[in-house]
């Protein structure tokens, strides 16, 4: 083990392992135990790979820029919705490629990750820092799977944390205020269905008449439409069924009878489908028209649906199906809106049992009064 002193006068420790004939040094650690733990982990991984017939050898030189762009076009663009692809491309172009583009993948170290986080936290919100971090981690994970690097150099860096804040949403009075002020808006049915189903923007834009079943009173969500066009898939790659309320059914029947477009449900007055990119601006204008002070994003209508669903007594597992969440953890953030949330757990918190129900409950005040009587009697 190597021990050395840095400029501040503090000591640092570094271990090393041999891969083939090449010596690989660890990052510098403040504690001896951390350096030893790194070496043990590297040795374990090396022998595990050898046991599976894999060669734990020095990898070829691959530029981060070349691999990241290949990952973006061959994986993200094919498997993710367009907005996700746009976000990833933006993070790479603005933050990651300028910093790491000219480096070889194998030369990216732990200290580079720590320095990146330190600088991002000065200029970005916790959400922005996390988004950039997740893109970089996804690139490193893909590189490791393709054996371009032996291990994730940032695996010991703690994942950035988000602020503990509530999702923005509207309560019933705000929803009614918004809808009453926009009854003449061409997008009124679009807004109404969004509020009463929790469908995503791209799902609403991609909703076609062949997915509306007036006989069973249900909407099948299986498509999305964004700037790149119509896709036969959703964000989570899962089809889901949403029942129609009488009000939603009535609005959709009215649109169907107009027959402005034989394919898409939501259209303009000339019969052209609603443009995905125009909805944000028009939703902002509709809020202004209604005099809404609690301004929200269009996606927050989805949060509004989920929050009000739970406040009306809905079940979190049913809500998961309606929203199309693949993991219940995503839906559980709305659970606290249920009027019965946590109250139902009271029956599991009785530690005395039925046989002990006759034990008197003495308040602190009553107990102190009893003590005074005992002291007087003594």
């Amino acid at each position: 083990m190597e021990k050395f002193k840095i400029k501040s006068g503090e000591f640092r420790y570094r271990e090393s392992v041999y891969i083939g004939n090449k010596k690989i040094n660890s990052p510098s650690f403040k504690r001896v135990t951390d350096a030893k733990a790194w070496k043990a982990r590297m040795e374990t991984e090396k022998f595990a790979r050898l046991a599976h017939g894999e060669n734990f050898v020095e990898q070829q030189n691959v530029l981060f820029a070349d691999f990241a762009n290949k990952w973006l076009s061959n994986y993200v663009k094919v498997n993710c919705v367009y907005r996700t692809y746009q976000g990833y491309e933006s993070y790479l172009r603005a933050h990651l490629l300028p910093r790491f583009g000219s480096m070889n993948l194998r030369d990216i170290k732990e200290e580079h990750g720590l320095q990146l986080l330190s600088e991002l936290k000065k200029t970005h919100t916790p959400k922005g820092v996390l988004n950039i971090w997740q893109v970089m981690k996804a690139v490193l994970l893909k590189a490791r799977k393709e054996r371009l690097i032996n291990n994730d150099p940032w695996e010991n860096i703690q994942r950035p944390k988000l602020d503990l804040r509530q999702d923005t949403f509207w309560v019933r009075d705000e929803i009614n205020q918004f809808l009453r002020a926009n009854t003449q808006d061409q997008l009124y049915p679009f807004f109404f269905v969004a509020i009463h189903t929790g469908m995503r923007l791209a799902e609403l834009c991609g909703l076609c008449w062949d997915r509306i079943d007036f006989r069973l009173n249900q909407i099948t969500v299986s498509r999305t439409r964004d700037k790149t066009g119509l896709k036969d898939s959703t964000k989570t790659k899962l089809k889901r069924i949403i029942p129609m309320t009488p009000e939603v059914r009535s609005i959709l029947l009215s649109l169907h009878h107009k027959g402005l477009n034989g394919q898409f449900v939501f259209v303009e007055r000339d019969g052209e489908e609603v443009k995905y990119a125009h909805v944000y601006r028009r939703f902002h204008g509709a809020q202004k028209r209604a005099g809404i002070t609690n301004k929200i994003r269009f996606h927050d209508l989805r949060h509004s649906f989920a929050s009000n669903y739970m406040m009306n007594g809905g079940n979190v597992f049913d809500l998961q199906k309606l929203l199309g969440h693949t993991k219940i953890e995503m839906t559980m953030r709305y659970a606290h809106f249920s009027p019965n949330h946590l109250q139902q757990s009271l029956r599991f918190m009785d530690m005395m049992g039925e046989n002990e129900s006759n034990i008197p409950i003495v308040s602190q005040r009553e107990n102190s009064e009893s003590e005074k009587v005992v002291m007087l009697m003594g």
Side-chain angles (χ1 to χ4, degrees):
M1 179 182 296
E2 179 185 1
K3 179 180 178 181
F4 57 95
K5 185 184 293 186
I6 60 177
K7 291 181 179 181
S8 64
E10 296 180 341
F11 284 100
R12 291 292 185 269
Y13 303 90
R14 181 183 290 133
E15 270 286 8
S16 60
V17 295
Y18 282 88
I19 299 176
N21 295 322
K22 185 175 179 62
K23 182 181 179 182
I24 304 297
N25 291 321
S26 74
S28 60
F29 297 99
K30 292 183 178 180
R31 300 184 302 180
V32 174
T33 53
D34 292 336
K36 290 182 176 180
W38 177 89
K39 181 172 184 177
R41 186 173 64 253
M42 292 293 291
E43 294 284 2
T44 300
E45 183 174 354
K46 181 173 69 173
F47 290 125
R49 291 198 177 194
L50 290 173
H52 286 84
E54 301 178 13
N55 291 322
F56 195 88
V57 297
E58 186 69 8
Q59 302 297 330
Q60 59 183 318
N61 291 329
V62 177
L63 287 178
F64 175 84
D66 293 340
F67 182 77
N69 286 322
K70 176 184 174 184
W71 167 80
L72 188 68
S73 59
N74 293 353
Y75 180 77
V76 178
K77 195 171 186 177
V78 173
N79 294 287
C80 301
V81 297
Y82 182 69
R83 286 198 68 197
T84 301
Y85 166 78
Q86 275 188 314
Y88 284 12
E89 189 275 334
S90 175
Y91 297 139
L92 277 170
R93 173 171 38 83
H95 302 285
L96 301 177
L97 291 178
R99 182 183 293 269
F100 304 111
S102 61
M103 294 179 63
N104 289 321
L105 282 169
R106 66 178 187 178
D107 294 331
I108 297 175
K109 307 298 182 184
E110 182 175 304
E111 58 259 31
H112 297 131
L114 293 172
Q115 185 179 10
L116 174 66
L117 286 180
S118 177
E119 295 185 8
L120 288 176
K121 288 176 180 178
K122 297 175 183 178
T123 57
H124 289 70
T125 64
K127 177 66 174 176
V129 174
L130 179 61
N131 288 342
I132 297 168
W133 171 262
Q134 288 177 328
V135 172
M136 185 64 180
K137 288 287 285 185
V139 174
L140 293 175
L141 177 62
K142 188 68 174 175
R144 184 176 182 180
K145 286 184 177 180
E146 295 189 10
R147 300 182 185 177
L148 297 176
I149 54 177
N150 285 321
N151 63 293
D152 177 2
W154 294 5
E155 63 180 344
N156 293 323
I157 303 178
Q158 186 177 16
R159 181 178 184 267
K161 295 181 179 179
L162 290 177
D163 289 337
L164 296 177
R165 64 177 184 86
Q166 298 289 347
D167 291 316
T168 306
F169 67 96
W170 283 343
V171 294
R172 184 175 299 179
D173 289 344
E174 292 169 314
I175 291 172
N176 290 333
Q177 178 184 346
F178 173 80
L179 292 175
R180 279 195 299 265
N182 290 285
T183 54
Q184 301 306 310
D185 193 307
Q186 182 65 18
L187 288 188
Y188 177 81
F190 192 93
F191 297 147
F192 190 95
V193 174
I195 290 170
H196 289 84
T197 62
M199 291 174 64
R200 300 179 178 93
L201 173 57
E203 294 170 345
L204 290 162
C205 289
L207 185 61
C208 299
W209 288 115
D210 63 348
R211 293 297 184 264
I212 307 293
D213 191 328
F214 290 112
R215 183 177 61 86
L216 296 178
N217 283 329
Q218 63 186 28
I219 300 171
T220 300
V221 182
S222 62
R223 298 190 184 108
T224 57
R225 180 170 62 86
D226 53 27
K227 294 178 181 179
T228 62
L230 187 67
K231 299 182 180 67
D232 283 315
S233 65
T234 63
K235 181 178 179 180
T236 55
K237 312 298 182 185
L238 297 175
K239 179 180 75 173
R240 69 183 190 276
I241 304 296
I242 301 177
M244 291 187 285
T245 65
E247 294 79 11
V248 169
R249 173 187 166 85
S250 176
I251 282 183
L252 293 181
L253 272 175
S254 176
L255 293 177
H256 191 258
H257 290 156
K258 291 180 180 179
L260 295 176
N261 189 303
Q263 181 182 11
F264 293 104
V265 174
F266 299 109
V267 296
E268 304 290 357
R269 287 185 173 85
D270 61 0
E272 289 293 318
E273 63 269 20
V274 171
K275 297 295 187 294
Y276 174 91
H278 295 177
V279 174
Y280 297 105
R281 173 174 50 81
R282 295 172 68 175
F283 178 61
H284 178 75
Q287 291 184 78
K288 187 175 181 180
R289 186 183 305 119
I292 296 291
T293 56
N294 179 24
K295 297 291 177 59
I296 64 174
R297 307 166 301 163
F298 185 87
H299 189 75
D300 292 326
L301 292 180
R302 183 169 162 87
H303 297 318
S304 299
F305 166 79
S307 303
N308 283 276
Y309 178 90
M310 294 303 298
M311 286 189 284
N312 291 336
N315 180 282
V316 71
F317 295 103
D318 293 335
L319 179 60
Q320 179 190 10
K321 297 174 184 176
L322 293 173
L323 294 177
H325 287 160
T326 55
K327 297 181 179 179
I328 190 62
E329 290 81 5
M330 287 288 293
T331 320
M332 284 302 296
R333 60 179 164 167
Y334 303 110
H336 68 281
F337 289 109
S338 171
N340 295 324
H341 178 61
L342 295 183
Q343 292 299 318
Q344 293 180 352
S345 64
L346 288 175
R347 60 194 179 99
F348 301 112
M349 297 169 65
D350 181 6
M351 304 303 164
M352 295 189 298
E354 295 181 0
N355 296 332
E356 306 296 336
S357 60
N358 59 345
I359 295 178
I361 306 298
V362 181
S363 68
Q364 184 175 2
R365 181 176 179 181
E366 291 171 337
N367 190 48
S368 62
E369 292 295 334
S370 300
E371 291 177 357
K372 290 180 182 177
V373 173
V374 173
M375 290 174 65
L376 288 172
M377 292 176 63

